[in-house]
Amino acid sequence: MKNPRDFWKSLLMAGSIIMGIYLTFGLYVYSQQGQFTYIPAVQGIGAYAPRTAGNTINIIVHVVAAAMYSNVCLKSIYYPLIVDKFHGPALDSPRGHRTWSCMAFILWVGAFVIASSIPNFGDLVGVVASLFVIQYTFTLPAFFFIAYQKQLQGLSWSRAFRKQWWNTVFIIAALVATVLGTYSSIRGMVLDVREGRTPTAFSCRSPAQPR
């Protein structure tokens, strides 16, 4: 950006819009369904036709999102690992295309096995959010800022953590949330399976469908 301050303006504006949309949607859905809210929320719609329409839109959106995320994931693995470390073929070569295709197949099969083995989507989201989303959103940015200040000011790690005490507290709080969130999500999975509130693994039955 020509003016570095425009980055912070864009960041704050984008964050405010995203937070507003999430809060509005979450508050509305919970006000209508309460403790019976499902993830994804469209599964809580009682009528068959709108629920099916919502599921169709969900499938299209999630396939597009999955393709985009898998592309980013493969690129972040291919160049540093396959090309730089193992001196593999370039991506634009025929061997590179075959290698990429095999990696994409393994990635999608692995994602399918993980998603299908945890049939309750809400439990899966809870585990992923606890183990990864919290780290990418809270833990790593604060740690990277401390590391940047350490390098910028020539500090030791202990002094950098003490000087950036608010980010240190932020990291500790995020790690505590990770442990508690992971425990509660796994505990919720066990209870859902034990009490019969979730379909069996590798099943196509909707979680909102009566047993």
Side-chain angles (χ1 to χ4, degrees):
M1 293 184 178
K2 190 172 183 180
N3 186 357
R5 292 187 178 180
D6 291 340
F7 166 77
W8 295 107
K9 295 177 183 177
S10 303
L11 180 65
L12 291 174
M13 182 176 296
S16 300
I17 293 173
I18 293 171
M19 187 177 297
I21 293 174
Y22 271 95
L23 283 174
T24 302
F25 181 80
L27 290 173
Y28 174 77
V29 171
Y30 194 79
S31 68
Q32 299 298 312
Q33 299 180 353
Q35 71 270 29
F36 302 104
T37 301
Y38 286 99
I39 301 177
V42 69
Q43 293 292 338
I45 300 176
Y48 176 78
R51 185 173 70 244
T52 303
N55 285 332
T56 303
I57 296 174
N58 265 343
I59 290 174
I60 297 173
V61 170
H62 282 89
V63 166
V64 173
M68 294 174 61
Y69 281 120
S70 63
N71 182 59
V72 174
C73 176
L74 289 173
K75 281 184 177 179
S76 63
I77 295 175
Y78 192 88
Y79 287 104
L81 189 64
I82 303 299
V83 177
D84 295 341
K85 188 169 184 179
F86 294 105
H87 307 289
L91 185 56
D92 56 356
S93 66
R95 286 184 57 206
H97 292 166
R98 291 193 293 270
T99 305
W100 178 278
S101 299
C102 292
M103 291 175 60
F105 177 77
I106 295 172
L107 179 67
W108 279 80
V109 169
F112 172 79
V113 170
I114 293 173
S116 297
S117 61
I118 307 176
N120 192 321
F121 190 73
D123 293 334
L124 177 61
V125 170
V127 173
V128 172
S130 301
L131 291 177
F132 301 106
V133 177
I134 291 179
Q135 315 311 320
Y136 294 138
T137 308
F138 300 107
T139 310
L140 291 179
F143 175 78
F144 289 153
F145 187 80
I146 293 176
Y148 173 71
Q149 292 298 320
K150 171 188 177 297
Q151 183 179 14
L152 185 66
Q153 302 179 26
L155 304 173
S156 63
W157 279 110
S158 59
R159 189 174 180 185
F161 276 106
R162 288 197 305 269
K163 193 167 185 179
Q164 295 289 326
W165 61 268
W166 57 91
N167 281 315
T168 303
V169 173
F170 207 68
I171 293 173
I172 295 173
L175 293 176
V176 171
T178 298
V179 174
L180 296 178
T182 305
Y183 171 79
S184 62
S185 298
I186 295 176
R187 180 66 177 169
M189 279 190 226
V190 174
L191 292 176
D192 287 342
V193 173
R194 183 181 301 168
E195 298 176 7
R197 292 181 297 184
T198 185
T200 57
F202 300 96
S203 171
C204 294
R205 189 177 68 85
S206 168
Q209 180 180 346
R211 297 182 71 87

PDB file of all heavy atoms in Angstrom, residues 99-112:
ATOM      1  N   THR A  99       2.858 -35.347  -9.278  1.00  0.00           N
ATOM      2  CA  THR A  99       3.109 -35.282  -7.837  1.00  0.00           C
ATOM      3  C   THR A  99       2.035 -34.474  -7.132  1.00  0.00           C
ATOM      4  O   THR A  99       1.526 -34.857  -6.073  1.00  0.00           O
ATOM      5  CB  THR A  99       4.491 -34.667  -7.566  1.00  0.00           C
ATOM      6  OG1 THR A  99       5.491 -35.405  -8.271  1.00  0.00           O
ATOM      7  CG2 THR A  99       4.810 -34.676  -6.080  1.00  0.00           C
ATOM      8  N   TRP A 100       1.678 -33.335  -7.724  1.00  0.00           N
ATOM      9  CA  TRP A 100       0.623 -32.490  -7.157  1.00  0.00           C
ATOM     10  C   TRP A 100      -0.708 -33.236  -7.090  1.00  0.00           C
ATOM     11  O   TRP A 100      -1.421 -33.162  -6.089  1.00  0.00           O
ATOM     12  CB  TRP A 100       0.491 -31.229  -7.997  1.00  0.00           C
ATOM     13  CG  TRP A 100      -0.590 -30.287  -7.562  1.00  0.00           C
ATOM     14  CD1 TRP A 100      -1.916 -30.365  -7.861  1.00  0.00           C
ATOM     15  CD2 TRP A 100      -0.444 -29.136  -6.722  1.00  0.00           C
ATOM     16  NE1 TRP A 100      -2.614 -29.326  -7.294  1.00  0.00           N
ATOM     17  CE2 TRP A 100      -1.727 -28.562  -6.581  1.00  0.00           C
ATOM     18  CE3 TRP A 100       0.638 -28.531  -6.101  1.00  0.00           C
ATOM     19  CZ2 TRP A 100      -1.941 -27.413  -5.832  1.00  0.00           C
ATOM     20  CZ3 TRP A 100       0.425 -27.379  -5.364  1.00  0.00           C
ATOM     21  CH2 TRP A 100      -0.846 -26.839  -5.234  1.00  0.00           C
ATOM     22  N   SER A 101      -1.032 -33.962  -8.147  1.00  0.00           N
ATOM     23  CA  SER A 101      -2.300 -34.704  -8.183  1.00  0.00           C
ATOM     24  C   SER A 101      -2.336 -35.775  -7.097  1.00  0.00           C
ATOM     25  O   SER A 101      -3.360 -35.962  -6.432  1.00  0.00           O
ATOM     26  CB  SER A 101      -2.504 -35.336  -9.565  1.00  0.00           C
ATOM     27  OG  SER A 101      -2.550 -34.347 -10.569  1.00  0.00           O
ATOM     28  N   CYS A 102      -1.228 -36.486  -6.898  1.00  0.00           N
ATOM     29  CA  CYS A 102      -1.174 -37.512  -5.843  1.00  0.00           C
ATOM     30  C   CYS A 102      -1.319 -36.877  -4.466  1.00  0.00           C
ATOM     31  O   CYS A 102      -2.031 -37.401  -3.601  1.00  0.00           O
ATOM     32  CB  CYS A 102       0.141 -38.285  -5.938  1.00  0.00           C
ATOM     33  SG  CYS A 102       0.295 -39.328  -7.393  1.00  0.00           S
ATOM     34  N   MET A 103      -0.656 -35.737  -4.248  1.00  0.00           N
ATOM     35  CA  MET A 103      -0.765 -35.054  -2.959  1.00  0.00           C
ATOM     36  C   MET A 103      -2.188 -34.564  -2.722  1.00  0.00           C
ATOM     37  O   MET A 103      -2.709 -34.670  -1.605  1.00  0.00           O
ATOM     38  CB  MET A 103       0.220 -33.884  -2.911  1.00  0.00           C
ATOM     39  CG  MET A 103       1.676 -34.287  -2.862  1.00  0.00           C
ATOM     40  SD  MET A 103       2.806 -32.867  -2.948  1.00  0.00           S
ATOM     41  CE  MET A 103       2.306 -31.949  -1.491  1.00  0.00           C
ATOM     42  N   ALA A 104      -2.822 -34.036  -3.775  1.00  0.00           N
ATOM     43  CA  ALA A 104      -4.198 -33.558  -3.636  1.00  0.00           C
ATOM     44  C   ALA A 104      -5.137 -34.715  -3.306  1.00  0.00           C
ATOM     45  O   ALA A 104      -6.035 -34.585  -2.463  1.00  0.00           O
ATOM     46  CB  ALA A 104      -4.651 -32.863  -4.910  1.00  0.00           C
ATOM     47  N   PHE A 105      -4.937 -35.865  -3.946  1.00  0.00           N
ATOM     48  CA  PHE A 105      -5.774 -37.040  -3.672  1.00  0.00           C
ATOM     49  C   PHE A 105      -5.618 -37.480  -2.224  1.00  0.00           C
ATOM     50  O   PHE A 105      -6.612 -37.751  -1.529  1.00  0.00           O
ATOM     51  CB  PHE A 105      -5.390 -38.179  -4.621  1.00  0.00           C
ATOM     52  CG  PHE A 105      -6.155 -39.447  -4.376  1.00  0.00           C
ATOM     53  CD1 PHE A 105      -7.466 -39.588  -4.816  1.00  0.00           C
ATOM     54  CD2 PHE A 105      -5.552 -40.501  -3.699  1.00  0.00           C
ATOM     55  CE1 PHE A 105      -8.169 -40.758  -4.579  1.00  0.00           C
ATOM     56  CE2 PHE A 105      -6.247 -41.677  -3.457  1.00  0.00           C
ATOM     57  CZ  PHE A 105      -7.560 -41.801  -3.903  1.00  0.00           C
ATOM     58  N   ILE A 106      -4.374 -37.550  -1.742  1.00  0.00           N
ATOM     59  CA  ILE A 106      -4.129 -37.956  -0.347  1.00  0.00           C
ATOM     60  C   ILE A 106      -4.753 -36.957   0.618  1.00  0.00           C
ATOM     61  O   ILE A 106      -5.360 -37.332   1.634  1.00  0.00           O
ATOM     62  CB  ILE A 106      -2.616 -38.098  -0.099  1.00  0.00           C
ATOM     63  CG1 ILE A 106      -2.052 -39.250  -0.938  1.00  0.00           C
ATOM     64  CG2 ILE A 106      -2.324 -38.324   1.377  1.00  0.00           C
ATOM     65  CD1 ILE A 106      -0.535 -39.342  -0.910  1.00  0.00           C
ATOM     66  N   LEU A 107      -4.626 -35.665   0.307  1.00  0.00           N
ATOM     67  CA  LEU A 107      -5.178 -34.631   1.183  1.00  0.00           C
ATOM     68  C   LEU A 107      -6.694 -34.742   1.279  1.00  0.00           C
ATOM     69  O   LEU A 107      -7.268 -34.693   2.370  1.00  0.00           O
ATOM     70  CB  LEU A 107      -4.777 -33.252   0.660  1.00  0.00           C
ATOM     71  CG  LEU A 107      -5.305 -32.048   1.455  1.00  0.00           C
ATOM     72  CD1 LEU A 107      -4.665 -32.004   2.832  1.00  0.00           C
ATOM     73  CD2 LEU A 107      -5.039 -30.754   0.704  1.00  0.00           C
ATOM     74  N   TRP A 108      -7.375 -34.911   0.140  1.00  0.00           N
ATOM     75  CA  TRP A 108      -8.831 -34.971   0.136  1.00  0.00           C
ATOM     76  C   TRP A 108      -9.329 -36.260   0.787  1.00  0.00           C
ATOM     77  O   TRP A 108     -10.344 -36.246   1.499  1.00  0.00           O
ATOM     78  CB  TRP A 108      -9.356 -34.853  -1.295  1.00  0.00           C
ATOM     79  CG  TRP A 108      -9.393 -33.432  -1.774  1.00  0.00           C
ATOM     80  CD1 TRP A 108      -8.353 -32.698  -2.239  1.00  0.00           C
ATOM     81  CD2 TRP A 108     -10.535 -32.569  -1.805  1.00  0.00           C
ATOM     82  NE1 TRP A 108      -8.762 -31.428  -2.574  1.00  0.00           N
ATOM     83  CE2 TRP A 108     -10.104 -31.323  -2.320  1.00  0.00           C
ATOM     84  CE3 TRP A 108     -11.870 -32.736  -1.470  1.00  0.00           C
ATOM     85  CZ2 TRP A 108     -10.964 -30.255  -2.490  1.00  0.00           C
ATOM     86  CZ3 TRP A 108     -12.730 -31.659  -1.648  1.00  0.00           C
ATOM     87  CH2 TRP A 108     -12.276 -30.437  -2.142  1.00  0.00           C
ATOM     88  N   VAL A 109      -8.642 -37.384   0.559  1.00  0.00           N
ATOM     89  CA  VAL A 109      -9.037 -38.633   1.216  1.00  0.00           C
ATOM     90  C   VAL A 109      -8.867 -38.511   2.728  1.00  0.00           C
ATOM     91  O   VAL A 109      -9.735 -38.926   3.504  1.00  0.00           O
ATOM     92  CB  VAL A 109      -8.213 -39.813   0.665  1.00  0.00           C
ATOM     93  CG1 VAL A 109      -8.416 -41.067   1.514  1.00  0.00           C
ATOM     94  CG2 VAL A 109      -8.605 -40.109  -0.774  1.00  0.00           C
ATOM     95  N   GLY A 110      -7.757 -37.925   3.155  1.00  0.00           N
ATOM     96  CA  GLY A 110      -7.551 -37.731   4.589  1.00  0.00           C
ATOM     97  C   GLY A 110      -8.596 -36.826   5.210  1.00  0.00           C
ATOM     98  O   GLY A 110      -9.103 -37.106   6.307  1.00  0.00           O
ATOM     99  N   ALA A 111      -8.954 -35.748   4.505  1.00  0.00           N
ATOM    100  CA  ALA A 111      -9.991 -34.850   5.014  1.00  0.00           C
ATOM    101  C   ALA A 111     -11.337 -35.557   5.110  1.00  0.00           C
ATOM    102  O   ALA A 111     -12.083 -35.377   6.081  1.00  0.00           O
ATOM    103  CB  ALA A 111     -10.101 -33.628   4.111  1.00  0.00           C
ATOM    104  N   PHE A 112     -11.656 -36.398   4.114  1.00  0.00           N
ATOM    105  CA  PHE A 112     -12.918 -37.140   4.139  1.00  0.00           C
ATOM    106  C   PHE A 112     -12.957 -38.120   5.310  1.00  0.00           C
ATOM    107  O   PHE A 112     -13.978 -38.225   6.005  1.00  0.00           O
ATOM    108  CB  PHE A 112     -13.113 -37.900   2.825  1.00  0.00           C
ATOM    109  CG  PHE A 112     -14.295 -38.830   2.836  1.00  0.00           C
ATOM    110  CD1 PHE A 112     -15.580 -38.335   2.661  1.00  0.00           C
ATOM    111  CD2 PHE A 112     -14.121 -40.192   3.037  1.00  0.00           C
ATOM    112  CE1 PHE A 112     -16.671 -39.194   2.682  1.00  0.00           C
ATOM    113  CE2 PHE A 112     -15.205 -41.048   3.058  1.00  0.00           C
ATOM    114  CZ  PHE A 112     -16.479 -40.551   2.882  1.00  0.00           C
TER     115      PHE A 112
END
